[in-house]
Amino acid sequence: MAYAYLFKYIIIGDTGVGKSCLLLQFTDKRFQPVHDLTIGVEFGARMITIDGKQIKLQIWDTAGQESFRSITRSYYRGAAGALLVYDITRRDTFNHLTTWLEDARQHSNSNMVIMLIGNKSDLESRREVKKEEGEAFAREHGLIFMETSAKTASNVEEAFINTAKEIYEKIQEGVFDINNEANGIKIGPQHAATNASLSGNQGGHTSGGCC
Amino acid sequence: MYLLRGVMGAQSAGPQPSGAETVQKLCDRVASSTLLDDRRDAVRALKSLSRKYRLEVGSQAMEHLVNVLQTDRSDVEIIGYALDTLHNIMSNEMDEPDDSEEENSQSQTDDLGSQFTEIFIKQQENITLLLSYLEEFDFQVRWPGVKLVTTLLKQQGPAVQQIILVSPMGVSRLMDLLADSREVIRNDGLLLLQQLTKGNAAIQKIVAFENAFERLLDIITDEGNSDGGIVVEDCLILLQYLLKNNNSNQNFFKEGSYIQRMKPWFEVGDDNTGWSAQKVTNLHLMLQLVRVLVSPMNPPGATSSCQKSMFQCGLLQQLCTILMATGVPADILTETINTVSEVIRGCQINQDYFASVNAPSNPPRPAIVVLLMSMVNERQPFVLRCAVLYCFQCFLYRNQKGQGEIVATLLPSTIDANAVSAGQLLCGGLFSVDSLSNWCAAVALAHALQGNATQKEQLLRVQLATSIGNPPVSLLQQCTNILSQGDKINRRGSKIQTRVGLLMLLCTWLSNCPIAVTHFLHNPSNVPFLTAQISENLGEEEQLVQGLCALLLGICIYNNDNSLENYTKEKLKQLIEKRIGKENFTEKLSFIPKHELYSKAAQKPQPNFSSPDHMMFDHEFTKLVKELEVVIIKAIYKSTEEDKKEEEVKKTLEHHDNIVTHYKNVIREQDLQIEELKQQVMALNSQNEQFQVTVTQQLSQIQQHKDQYNLLKIKQGKDNQLHSSHVEGAQINGIQSEEMIRLREEIEELRKEQDILQGQLAEKDGLIANLKSAQPEVRTERSPPEGVPADGSSENAMELYKELEALRSQIQAQSLEINGLQTERQELLHKIETVTAASALASGDSTAVAASKVAELEERLVASLKETNSLKDEVKTLSEEKSALKQQVDSSNSTAAISQNENKKLEQMLADSKKEQDDLLILLADQDQKLTALKNKLKELGEPVEDEDDLESGDQGDDDVESGDQGDEDDEKEELEED
């Protein structure tokens, strides 16, 4: 149960691109072909290991529907990572990426790591968006990119873990203020002591919050 | 409103300006004054009037106050006054009625705040404006802002929640209030958040996302947990709002490891005397929070994972210590029991732990026993007794092991006379004079049997000693006895309660247990008692008992195995028809689910009764009724024929079942066999595969050998073709024979050539012989001129002769060699034949046979391997031989060529010698002519000429010998060639 770091993620993207299925596959290793529309947000969590350190991922899966947009916006600010998902079999979901990205950039903290995900890679025959297009979009906007399949679990682990790696590296580089929980990062109980000195260096306040 | 104004107007009537007028003036000042100080004073004045003249200020000043908020942002003072004023007009709290006469208008003033709020929030920007003021750090602004938003939420909760939800970062901003270092603002922030999150799952989730759990738990810890003041209470209420019926947040709470942080809440000391009211309240809320997480109404998965982590972090253990501690206030104890109940419900590890908990008494008793003692103790508070029953039910819920343990304490073999056992207490409760104890004990015992056929049968073994001298009575019989004698015994409490309890126990016991039904029917007085109860026309109170009796009788029919002749299904049905009537029976049966208390009990597992009188139905029993009602009515209405048919169907079904089971067994056996065979096949297959692999390997090896062999053959063939030799026999037989023929033909040709040569030689011999005979004549006359050419030709002949001799010997050697080669080749051919035959056999057979008989194949393989090995060796020797042969052939060929060349030379020489002979002949002819001419001249001269001829013949004698020798040699040559 003890963890070195806790990262908060959000999953965003158009409705029906498979956000909830990605989360379910990641947390429960299951696939539900028929999934109810997400109302507002749903929570999921899992522990992963990076660099030999236990990292707890808390993931908020948001509703893709426009009517929930105002609710889901409330989650941008406190997230350290975002998975921006589109559906490779539906071009419109790819076309909306710009809007999503603008929204995310506007409401989130500037250091938030965004992973672009082209989901449903198992439906190759119905593909409408080329992998190269996704790669190009990601390159252009400075995102990490990956094609996944929540159905076959292909790349699902990697998507979540690679995002965490990126955040972890940013922490190592000192980009994130780890003592500000509003960034979506929390130091685990076992690490609070070792990081006290670190916070001293940064001149921040002591991390009394975590225990 | 007019009424209110009237009242107020009347009060303020007189020389002084009315409140409304003053408010109007002030509003004008706020609206028109250009001086900030002036406006500020006016707003301050409005604030002071806002309580007394709430209606006036509200209706006239609101618009101006909003304007102030929009325009005078820079002046914290005026903003503070404006916010306070708005708060006063919208809040109902300040509106304490001084006069009793205003009481009737209380409801109206309540409406007032809500109406003003409605007007205020019509402009959504107003809320956004307010939220922006909450970001203002100044206390004068922030605090009234917080209070105002709280009031708005209280008045128009859902509407304001919706506006805040859609305004950017609205909820997040409000969450920041908890981080305010000024306690007043933090505490009021808590109240605000309570109102904000009330009944809105979306906001609850956002608040949780904004680290609310962390912050609230921190505040609770900082404030001293349960010893903390009202702030702790507010935090707990907020936590409850965030978690209740919100699965996502519950999951987050659990995943965030916050359950572990609840454990210290329950670390109460040994000295539990003198708990403050606040502490009791706090603990109560804390316990409720635990229950929110493990409520039976939550999704099963969520509850069970929380239950597990509560055990793992020691929270359950902590709760159990409170359970067993002394001096804990009764209501906290009750709630703790309820909490423990839900923490262990349906969770085997927790149930096992609970069974192991002992009370710190001397001797230590199991907690279960101690709790049951309270349950059957009529001096204990009713709610506590209910809680204990709930705890016991939760302990047994889906706990076959626990059920077995409880029933075992009643069985004769395991009974411990010295210690008080759960079974003893339950029996005591069952037969006590307190109806509540009867009911609780009956229900508790029913839970020990719930869905557990083994325990239903086990409990039949229980015998009770009644009074000395009388035989023991079975527990089942004792229950029916009390039921039937119920009227005779004087009891405290409701008689019906006892009977309902016992009937519920009996129904649970007998359902799905034909043996128990048989036991029940075995007592001849039971059925008449039930029919009498059902058929009697009794008061409303008794209807419930009648219904339960009908249910019990129905179970006796439905779960009847017809083992008792007097009480078969058929007979019982006839009894119902005769004595009660089917319609009447179903009507009585339907009394149960129609009962008001039944539907109440069906809602929740927890026995929660407003008064002891209402304690009638158990939750699990309502489930049983739902399950049985339909099937019993069906069973009753089935006609005899139908029943018989069904019996027949059942019998045939049984028959079929038997057949099916027979076949099942057969199939099972066959399955096993098949499995074995499959395995065998598998093993064989794999073996086969291995063999196939080796076969193919070996086949390829053979092929390789063949190829090598063919290559060699081709090489040999090439050699043979080049030198017209016989060694091509290394190829296939046909070609070899052809080769043979060709070779023979060649030899034949050679022979012919030789023959021709011999013939020519013979001719030459003949010619020479002629010449011999002719020459002496010539010599006599022309010896000097003739001698030179004659000598030359004899020299040539000598050379020729020598050469011929050499040729002959060479040819002899050649023919010898050819003979040797032929025999070798014959051998070779033979060997090749056998080898090719063997290899063809081996390869052809191996593929055909491999699939069917692996073992044979293996043998053959070995044989073929050996063969191939021998073949290899042979090939090696053959190739060696071949190379030797080749060399020989080469040499013989070269000699043959030489001999041919020499033959040619010979022929040429022969031709030359012929020409010479011709020339000689011509010369001879000339000489003859000359001789004749000379003879004629000599004759003319008269001289004899015969002597010369003799001389000539003597000279020619040498020639004769030579030519004779030559002829001999030719003969020899002929002889050799014929051989």
Side-chain angles (χ1 to χ4, degrees), chain B residues 687-703:
Chain B
Q687 273 188 351
N688 190 11
E689 265 168 45
Q690 283 179 352
F691 286 137
Q692 292 263 12
V693 169
T694 47
V695 162
T696 43
Q697 279 177 354
Q698 285 175 347
L699 273 176
S700 65
Q701 275 184 349
I702 289 168
Q703 193 58 45

Side-chain angles (χ1 to χ4, degrees), chain A residues 8-209:
Chain A
K8 284 186 181 179
Y9 279 13
I10 49 167
I11 311 179
I12 52 172
D14 274 8
T15 182
V17 297
K19 298 182 292 296
S20 302
C21 290
L22 278 171
L23 179 60
L24 192 71
Q25 181 60 256
F26 181 64
T27 57
D28 292 26
K29 303 204 188 318
R30 284 192 292 136
F31 176 71
Q32 256 182 11
V34 184
H35 200 279
D36 295 338
L37 274 177
T38 307
I39 307 295
V41 289
E42 286 304 325
F43 171 78
R46 216 190 99 177
M47 199 78 100
I48 58 164
T49 312
I50 287 175
D51 199 13
K53 290 191 168 68
Q54 292 281 89
I55 289 176
K56 184 149 204 161
L57 298 184
Q58 290 186 337
I59 305 143
W60 277 265
D61 164 36
T62 67
Q65 280 182 304
E66 184 62 42
S67 54
F68 291 107
R69 202 65 76 86
S70 57
I71 295 176
T72 56
R73 275 195 195 108
S74 306
Y75 291 85
Y76 289 116
R77 190 180 72 161
L83 304 187
L84 173 54
V85 189
Y86 69 92
D87 178 352
I88 65 153
T89 70
R90 279 163 55 207
R91 165 131 330 247
D92 56 321
T93 65
F94 181 75
N95 294 340
H96 294 158
L97 287 179
T98 325
T99 327
W100 279 109
L101 202 59
E102 277 169 12
D103 219 31
R105 290 261 155 90
Q106 190 190 337
H107 293 97
S108 68
N109 73 70
S110 55
N111 290 321
M112 183 164 84
V113 172
I114 304 175
M115 159 80 84
L116 180 66
I117 287 175
N119 193 31
K120 308 194 187 176
S121 65
D122 53 296
L123 301 175
E124 193 56 51
S125 58
R126 282 161 53 193
R127 181 188 280 274
E128 281 183 15
V129 184
K130 281 187 214 140
K131 193 176 181 183
E132 292 73 27
E133 294 177 80
E135 280 165 353
F137 186 91
R139 216 171 20 250
E140 192 185 330
H141 295 92
L143 317 173
I144 332 169
F145 175 69
M146 220 170 228
E147 280 198 354
T148 62
S149 165
K151 189 176 181 178
T152 65
S154 155
N155 267 345
V156 173
E157 290 269 310
E158 290 81 352
F160 285 90
I161 290 172
N162 288 358
T163 311
K165 277 184 184 158
E166 187 89 357
I167 298 168
Y168 183 76
E169 278 164 23
K170 280 196 174 186
I171 294 171
Q172 303 298 313
E173 289 163 14
V175 177
F176 272 113
D177 176 12
I178 42 174
N179 292 307
N180 183 0
E181 275 182 34
N183 285 334
I185 296 166
K186 193 179 143 187
I187 308 159
Q190 62 184 26
H191 259 242
T194 52
N195 276 293
S197 57
L198 216 141
S199 68
N201 291 342
Q202 290 177 341
H205 34 268
T206 50
S207 54

